[in-house]
């Protein structure tokens, strides 16, 4: 067994909901958990390539577990898990915005949803070199540090303008209400 297979097997043998589920299926079917998990991964891969609703499945892969883990992070007292999942959501959000503009062309590629799913799994993988950490450190953070003052200035200016417009609209509404009661 090569090192990657051993790591996969060790992951499947870990205690937790996945290990318990696979253990129960293994006991009932007599099929080793390694083959059960490999079959599920192969089925999902084929479905993402050829199945109806592959986009929905892909988005569920990128959303359901991270949302669950984020809620657990919010409820825990540790800060590290909060930072991990906030980083994931920043990268996920940027990817979603970029995908909005390119999705019209990309979904025509036969393995697009498989690639997108693999990308999202890499972004949420429980390793220090996962996609969200790598992209944040090498792309998002440098851009943010270079441009945050300009963005803050624009947002403050927009906030000031919105407050002024709101104040004027309120004054006009009061004037019209007062005029309507006089008539």
């Amino acid at each position: 067994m090569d090192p990657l297979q051993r790591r996969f097997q060790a992951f499947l043998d870990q205690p937790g909901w996945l290990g318990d589920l696979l253990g129960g299926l293994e006991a009932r079917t007599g099929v080793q958990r390694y083959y059960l998990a490999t079959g599920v991964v192969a089925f999902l891969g084929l479905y993402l390539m050829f199945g109806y609703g592959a986009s929905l499945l892909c988005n569920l892969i990128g959303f359901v577990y991270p949302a669950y883990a984020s809620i657990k992070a919010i409820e825990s007292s540790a800060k590290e898990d909060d930072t991990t999942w906030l980083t994931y959501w920043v990268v996920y959000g940027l990817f979603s915005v970029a995908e909005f503009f390119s999705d019209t062309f990309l979904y025509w590629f036969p393995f697009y949803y498989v690639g997108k799913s693999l990308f999202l799994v890499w972004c949420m993988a429980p390793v220090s070199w996962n996609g969200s950490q790598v992209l944040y450190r090498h792309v998002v953070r440098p851009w943010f540090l270079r441009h945050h003052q300009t963005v803050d200035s624009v947002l403050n200016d927009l906030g000031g303008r919105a407050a002024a417009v709101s104040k004027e609209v309120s004054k006009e509404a009061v004037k019209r209400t007062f005029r309507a009661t006089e008539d």
Side-chain angles (χ1 to χ4, degrees):
M1 191 182 271
D2 70 57
L4 187 59
Q5 284 178 316
R6 276 195 294 260
R7 287 176 52 193
F8 185 58
Q9 184 68 47
F11 172 73
L12 298 175
D13 291 336
Q14 288 178 351
W17 70 270
L18 181 63
D20 296 343
L21 176 70
L22 289 172
L25 287 172
E26 187 176 32
R28 276 187 264 158
T29 63
V31 178
Q32 293 178 14
R33 66 180 65 200
Y34 177 83
Y35 296 116
L36 290 169
T38 304
V40 168
V41 169
F43 173 76
L44 288 175
L46 288 171
Y47 192 84
L48 286 168
M49 282 188 259
F50 305 112
Y52 180 75
S55 174
L56 176 63
L57 177 61
C58 182
N59 288 329
L60 287 172
I61 289 169
F63 179 79
V64 172
Y65 175 73
Y68 173 76
S70 297
I71 293 169
K72 282 182 65 173
I74 290 168
E75 296 301 321
S76 77
S77 59
K79 179 192 178 305
E80 296 79 29
D81 54 358
D82 295 354
T83 303
T84 297
W85 289 107
L86 277 172
T87 305
Y88 173 83
W89 289 114
V90 166
V91 171
Y92 181 86
L94 289 172
F95 176 76
S96 295
V97 169
E99 183 186 37
F100 174 79
F101 294 105
S102 61
D103 194 34
T104 305
F105 306 108
L106 291 177
Y107 82 92
W108 286 99
F109 290 99
F111 304 119
Y112 173 67
Y113 292 116
V114 173
K116 179 180 173 183
S117 296
L118 290 173
F119 171 76
L120 293 172
V121 168
W122 175 54
C123 284
M124 70 177 94
V127 293
S128 62
W129 47 270
N130 74 28
S132 57
Q133 297 299 321
V134 169
L135 290 171
Y136 181 79
R137 274 194 304 268
H138 296 290
V139 178
V140 176
R141 187 171 189 271
W143 185 90
F144 173 79
L145 293 175
R146 205 170 323 123
H147 299 289
H148 76 90
Q149 291 172 335
T150 304
V151 172
D152 287 346
S153 173
V154 168
L155 291 176
N156 286 336
D157 185 43
L158 287 174
R161 289 181 187 193
V165 167
S166 173
K167 188 175 181 179
E168 288 300 316
V169 168
S170 295
K171 283 182 184 178
E172 187 64 30
V174 168
K175 285 181 187 176
R176 288 179 186 227
T177 303
F178 185 68
R179 280 189 217 145
T181 55
E182 287 181 341
D183 292 337

